[in-house]
Amino acid sequence: MNPAERISELTEKLNYYNHRYYMDSVSEISDQEFDMLLKELENLENQYPYLKLPESPSHRVGGTITKNFASVEHRYPMLSLANTYNEQELLDFDERVRKGLNGESYEYICELKFDGISLSMTFENGVFVRGVTRGDGVKGDDITNNVKTIKTLPLKVKIPPSITTGIFEIRGEGFLPYSSFEKMNAEAEAAGEESYANARNAASGSFKLQDSAEVARRGLDAYVYQFLSDEEVFATHEESLIALKNLGFNVSQTWQKCHTIQDVIEYIKEWDEKRFSLPLATDGIVIKLNSIAQRAELGYTAKSPRWAIAYKYKAESKPAILKAVTYQVGRTGAITPVAELDNEKRNGKGIHLSGTTVKRASLHNANEIERLGLRIGDTVFVEKGGEIIPKVTAVDLSKRDMFNTQEIVYPNTCPECGAPLTRKDGEANHYCTNEKGCPPQIRGRIEHFIHRKAMNIDSLGEGKIELLYEKGLVKNITDLYDLTYEKLFGLEKITEDETTGKVRKVGFKEKTVQNILDGIEKSKQAPFKQVLFGIGIRYVGATVAEKLAGFFKNIDNIKAADYETLRTAPEIGDKIAQSIIEFFQVEENLELIEKLRNAGLQMAAQDEVKVIEGDQLVGKTFLYTGTFINFEREALEQKIEANGGKVVSGVSGKLDYLIVGDKPGSSKIEKAKKLNVKMISEEEFMAMLG
Ligand SMILES: NC(=O)c1ccc[n+]([C@@H]2O[C@H](COP(=O)([O-])OP(=O)(O)OC[C@H]3O[C@@H](n4cnc5c(N)ncnc54)[C@H](O)[C@@H]3O)[C@@H](O)[C@H]2O)c1
Ligand SMILES: [Zn+2]
């Protein structure tokens, strides 16, 4: 490949990864791999400047603004940071600073590099008015309502007296603490939804949700690390950090002043392991010049300040012995192979990696085992980078001993129930075929049934369900409604955590029993859409269940619907329709529904109470495109309907009004123009309401 081809390939790849990372909150490769590719591109571009492409990611901040929020121009651009993974480049940075300051003395402030998303928070007269993402560095998404869910962010503070304009801005990192991240992923898994690979992606995805109530539930937090205003308020960064803390902002107390680059290197070493005891993900250290005046002397490149640099920790990789492969069975029957690992002394203590003990790592599926070419007894490399879940990255073939290692034979029967496994075309996982009798599948279905978006019985959980199942009290979801105080009181189970060895006791005393029974009783009031989700028809997630409930109104209509009728419901495609038909063909499923009905569960949708505000829009149809200042999408639809109007799903000649917001969709606009549909602004719409 010649340089031109490589430059074009790297540009395209990096732009793609940037898009996935910033828009979709997904990392398809590790940060380290990304940074290496970017460095390679930068080197090539320096060598062959005339080959640099206009869309090159090398001189731009990586993010973009989205269509889902109003976009806001930053008062001060939000830049990135230069980064490095090695000490020499840190020394080079120090050398550049020294030269740039012409012999003046200087000092650094070191901070941890928190791994979340940058936030800009504006205060006017001491009141928090706006929270914005970094976006493309010039403009960002207005996510004020989501930022407001951060409990540690004071919404009103005293303003420093030297600020005459009344306006100042705070910058910080919005993040999801590990504890919230784990909780959120456990819930997502229970609901059969996709989980995030790491806390940074989960934070990024959460800050960009439309529903602020859901954002609030996720438990986001933020650390504040920068103060900006038109007036010069602080002479040093240190002063500003102390002042921010005193004003009530959440400033991580892990920062430190360093007088030399050697002190900086000490700080880096100190936090290499210690950072894993922090409640959030960190991926490095940020080194910043302390003096604000000296910062101005050094200035900026197009992408980052010259007075700061990020040192990023390399993902730690360690050898381990693959003792065995075990197989886990999930709710859907999917089999996951797991590597059982130990250290090279084989003393059962596992390996110590990035602050935690590792004894197991997921191998995902049979293909992955094949790709890695694993044998039992191999020495393998285990890595834990930004992801908190360790992974096996390769076999150390130099240590391979053919006589003392064994081939891995993928099982063809279920390790839990012995039933045969199948693997559908195009699927990576094997599945246990014994849907009705396989214990983890049964327990999984019950866990799904009590999920927050289903029957919402939060007084039950995994451990309790396991106990009820083992005692033979609950073998399927309908058994929950036969539980009584007598059956539950006094049940007990002691479990030992395999990795930590911690002993945990689940015991049912008076209060626990009462809570469980109350929770079950309350679930009888859960709306039909939640019941429909809870019974666990394949492919019928919470959203599909809501659509079905809204369209068919009750379970009998759904049961009676044939394929064509099902397909007329909104967003019900072939796969879902087939799955519903199949579900209602099974006799046991029909019995299950009758039992739930007899237990008193809601099998029909209650008529929604429609709010009526006026009749100004009666007889008129509306469609909207873009984002609006006064409404989220749902609120806008409600407003139209509450005033007698109707929201339609596409532009047609019959459409009366297209309401055009910020960043409208071009296809809707074009179609509306062609069909002469009247287009109105948000203000004009408000005026129609009178
Ligand atoms: N894996 C992928 O596919 C992929 C794709 C794109 C980008 N990335 C990663 O993202 C990086 C680029 O992101 P970036 O431009 O935001 O740079 P960056 O994350 O390396 O550094 C800048 C950011 O650091 C954050 N930060 C955390 N703690 C800070 C502190 N104490 N002081 C100041 N800032 C602090 C701020 O949000 C700031 O915007 C890449 O280097 C790469 O590692 C990964
Ligand atoms: Zn099984």
Side-chain angles (χ1 to χ4, degrees):
M1 200 179 293
N2 64 38
E5 281 166 358
R6 184 64 181 157
I7 284 178
S8 142
E9 182 182 68
L10 286 168
T11 302
E12 196 180 314
K13 265 195 183 166
L14 288 162
N15 282 339
Y16 169 76
Y17 291 135
N18 263 334
H19 184 92
R20 292 291 281 156
Y21 186 77
Y22 291 105
M23 297 292 283
D24 308 333
S25 305
V26 171
S27 308
E28 288 194 13
I29 57 172
S30 72
D31 287 358
Q32 201 173 337
E33 285 170 273
F34 180 91
D35 291 332
M36 294 306 139
L37 293 177
L38 185 59
K39 208 138 263 174
E40 185 188 342
L41 177 65
E42 284 168 356
N43 289 342
L44 281 171
E45 286 176 348
N46 284 339
Q47 230 178 316
Y48 308 98
Y50 52 92
L51 291 178
K52 182 172 166 179
L53 296 166
E55 71 271 24
S56 171
S58 61
H59 287 169
R60 279 202 284 238
V61 173
T64 43
I65 40 178
T66 69
K67 290 200 181 75
N68 303 334
F69 296 95
S71 66
V72 180
E73 194 153 335
H74 295 301
R75 281 177 78 83
Y76 316 98
M78 286 186 87
L79 300 180
S80 175
L81 284 170
N83 71 47
T84 176
Y85 286 82
N86 69 57
E87 244 177 70
Q88 185 53 48
E89 287 182 2
L90 215 53
L91 298 175
D92 296 345
F93 163 76
D94 185 49
E95 201 46 45
R96 286 196 301 276
V97 170
R98 185 190 318 281
K99 283 200 183 123
L101 294 177
N102 294 319
E104 291 169 32
S105 70
Y106 57 93
E107 51 198 17
Y108 294 117
I109 299 291
C110 287
E111 292 164 24
L112 276 140
K113 187 165 183 302
F114 312 111
D115 207 6
I117 71 164
S118 311
L119 295 176
S120 145
M121 292 158 282
T122 301
F123 285 75
E124 286 178 14
N125 300 316
V127 178
F128 171 71
V129 291
R130 209 158 35 254
V132 184
T133 65
R134 193 175 75 184
D136 61 10
V138 177
K139 276 180 169 179
D141 287 336
D142 184 337
I143 53 163
T144 305
N145 287 333
N146 292 350
V147 175
K148 273 190 185 161
T149 69
I150 299 171
K151 292 209 185 74
T152 59
L153 179 72
L155 297 178
K156 194 165 189 303
V157 294
K158 276 208 254 145
I159 39 174
S162 41
I163 292 192
T164 49
T165 55
I167 300 176
F168 67 86
E169 186 178 328
I170 301 295
R171 298 261 173 94
E173 194 80 354
F175 63 87
L176 196 63
Y178 279 141
S179 54
S180 308
F181 171 59
E182 276 157 25
K183 190 168 134 246
M184 181 185 135
N185 259 0
E187 281 190 11
E189 257 159 51
E193 288 157 9
E194 216 148 315
S195 50
Y196 286 101
N198 59 43
R200 125 72 233 184
N201 291 353
S204 157
S206 301
F207 271 110
K208 290 175 194 158
L209 290 175
Q210 293 287 318
D211 178 358
S212 298
E214 174 61 22
V215 179
R217 269 190 23 78
R218 294 202 174 171
L220 292 162
D221 204 343
Y223 276 138
V224 161
Y225 50 65
Q226 199 178 359
F227 178 94
L228 288 159
S229 64
D230 286 349
E231 303 86 348
E232 269 187 32
V233 181
F234 304 109
T236 63
H237 185 54
E238 180 182 22
E239 272 175 37
S240 73
L241 289 179
I242 294 170
L244 283 171
K245 168 96 177 127
N246 289 338
L247 282 172
F249 287 105
N250 190 19
V251 179
S252 167
Q253 294 305 296
T254 45
W255 62 273
Q256 188 180 307
K257 184 154 73 176
C258 293
H259 294 278
T260 65
I261 198 73
Q262 285 314 323
D263 290 353
V264 170
I265 291 168
E266 275 308 302
Y267 180 86
I268 288 173
K269 291 205 173 118
E270 179 190 335
W271 281 99
D272 191 359
E273 280 276 317
K274 219 165 94 183
R275 68 198 177 100
F276 293 102
S277 59
L278 296 172
L280 80 161
T282 53
D283 61 343
I285 299 293
V286 185
I287 299 118
K288 304 172 181 176
L289 201 57
N290 193 17
S291 153
I292 306 296
Q294 288 181 336
R295 287 182 180 187
E297 279 180 55
L298 293 186
Y300 299 82
T301 71
K303 196 177 173 181
S304 50
R306 290 202 174 86
W307 44 261
I309 192 166
Y311 176 90
K312 300 231 244 178
Y313 291 112
K314 288 193 189 89
E316 197 186 2
S317 174
K318 274 197 183 160
I321 305 292
L322 179 66
K323 280 195 309 186
V325 176
T326 53
Y327 300 86
Q328 282 178 349
V329 187
R331 165 171 83 91
T332 57
I335 310 288
T336 310
V338 177
E340 304 287 338
L341 304 166
D342 203 357
N343 56 50
E344 286 167 300
K345 289 188 203 128
R346 298 181 191 243
N347 58 10
K349 290 191 174 159
I351 58 166
H352 200 66
L353 194 64
S354 305
T356 51
T357 301
V358 174
K359 290 181 176 178
R360 319 180 80 197
S362 169
L363 292 169
H364 306 292
N365 53 51
N367 297 349
E368 178 71 357
I369 294 179
E370 203 170 309
R371 187 183 74 80
L372 291 165
L374 296 178
R375 287 172 68 85
I376 307 286
D378 265 341
T379 303
V380 295
F381 291 110
V382 183
E383 193 176 292
K384 211 169 87 170
E387 275 104 86
I388 43 179
I389 302 151
K391 59 178 180 209
V392 174
T393 53
V395 176
D396 184 349
L397 287 175
S398 71
K399 298 212 174 121
R400 161 80 51 89
D401 173 350
M402 277 318 265
F403 299 106
N404 283 312
T405 57
Q406 294 95 44
E407 192 188 341
I408 295 168
V409 185
Y410 211 85
N412 49 28
T413 56
C414 174
E416 298 273 348
C417 75
L421 301 184
T422 58
R423 192 184 204 181
K424 287 199 199 117
D425 281 348
E427 286 216 25
N429 285 95
H430 288 75
Y431 285 85
C432 165
T433 48
N434 182 15
E435 241 171 78
K436 296 194 187 70
C438 183
Q441 294 193 58
I442 297 172
R443 287 198 305 264
R445 278 199 293 275
I446 302 169
E447 278 159 26
H448 172 78
F449 185 70
I450 64 162
H451 185 266
R452 184 175 53 86
K453 289 187 180 165
M455 307 319 290
N456 193 14
I457 309 178
D458 57 9
S459 48
L460 281 174
E462 228 173 274
K464 291 183 186 138
I465 286 176
E466 202 172 308
L467 175 59
L468 294 175
Y469 176 75
E470 276 173 18
K471 301 283 175 190
L473 287 171
V474 176
K475 290 190 283 305
N476 67 48
I477 55 181
T478 61
D479 291 343
L480 288 172
Y481 296 93
D482 293 334
L483 292 174
T484 59
Y485 193 91
E486 291 69 33
K487 286 184 189 169
L488 292 175
F489 185 80
L491 293 182
E492 200 171 88
K493 182 184 163 126
I494 291 163
T495 51
E496 195 187 312
D497 189 307
E498 278 177 39
T499 37
T500 61
K502 264 195 202 139
V503 173
R504 209 165 54 111
K505 194 163 119 182
V506 186
F508 287 5
K509 301 210 183 74
E510 266 162 63
K511 200 154 173 264
T512 319
V513 173
Q514 204 47 56
N515 282 342
I516 294 175
L517 292 173
D518 289 349
I520 293 173
E521 191 54 34
K522 210 179 84 206
S523 75
K524 295 177 184 169
Q525 301 310 320
F528 172 53
K529 60 177 183 188
Q530 288 175 225
V531 177
L532 191 57
F533 170 60
I535 57 180
I537 304 172
R538 191 172 262 203
Y539 307 127
V540 177
T543 320
V544 171
E546 185 171 359
K547 295 258 147 75
L548 284 169
F551 189 81
F552 288 104
K553 304 293 179 210
N554 64 48
I555 195 87
D556 298 307
N557 288 342
I558 301 177
K559 189 166 77 181
D562 57 14
Y563 178 83
E564 277 71 37
T565 318
L566 283 167
R567 289 297 303 270
T568 56
E571 287 174 45
I572 305 303
D574 170 65
K575 203 167 76 169
I576 301 174
Q578 285 291 0
S579 164
I580 295 170
I581 303 257
E582 276 167 32
F583 181 86
F584 286 104
Q585 275 166 356
V586 177
E587 191 57 38
E588 284 130 53
N589 291 337
L590 300 178
E591 276 169 27
L592 177 128
I593 283 165
E594 285 323 301
K595 278 194 191 149
L596 294 177
R597 193 199 301 266
N598 290 337
L601 270 63
Q602 304 295 316
M603 291 295 167
Q606 304 289 333
D607 277 331
E608 277 171 48
V609 194
K610 281 240 159 68
V611 192
I612 304 204
E613 291 178 0
D615 55 6
Q616 292 89 330
L617 310 181
V618 168
K620 301 193 174 108
T621 57
F622 293 84
L623 184 66
Y624 54 85
T625 173
T627 57
F628 301 91
I629 300 166
N630 295 295
F631 308 98
E632 305 262 356
R633 281 148 194 274
E634 229 165 71
L636 181 60
E637 288 183 13
Q638 271 167 14
K639 199 76 183 169
I640 295 168
E641 280 163 7
N643 288 284
K646 197 165 171 272
V647 184
V648 297
S649 62
V651 181
S652 74
K654 284 192 227 138
L655 175 63
D656 293 317
Y657 297 100
L658 179 66
I659 314 173
V660 182
D662 192 32
K663 301 227 173 43
S666 57
S667 64
K668 279 189 190 149
I669 300 268
E670 260 158 46
K671 206 156 171 201
K673 272 190 197 149
K674 211 184 279 166
L675 297 171
N676 263 329
V677 172
K678 192 165 165 62
M679 288 189 263
I680 55 171
S681 67
E682 184 174 357
E683 292 91 73
E684 285 171 301
F685 169 72
M686 304 274 281
M688 285 173 83
L689 298 172

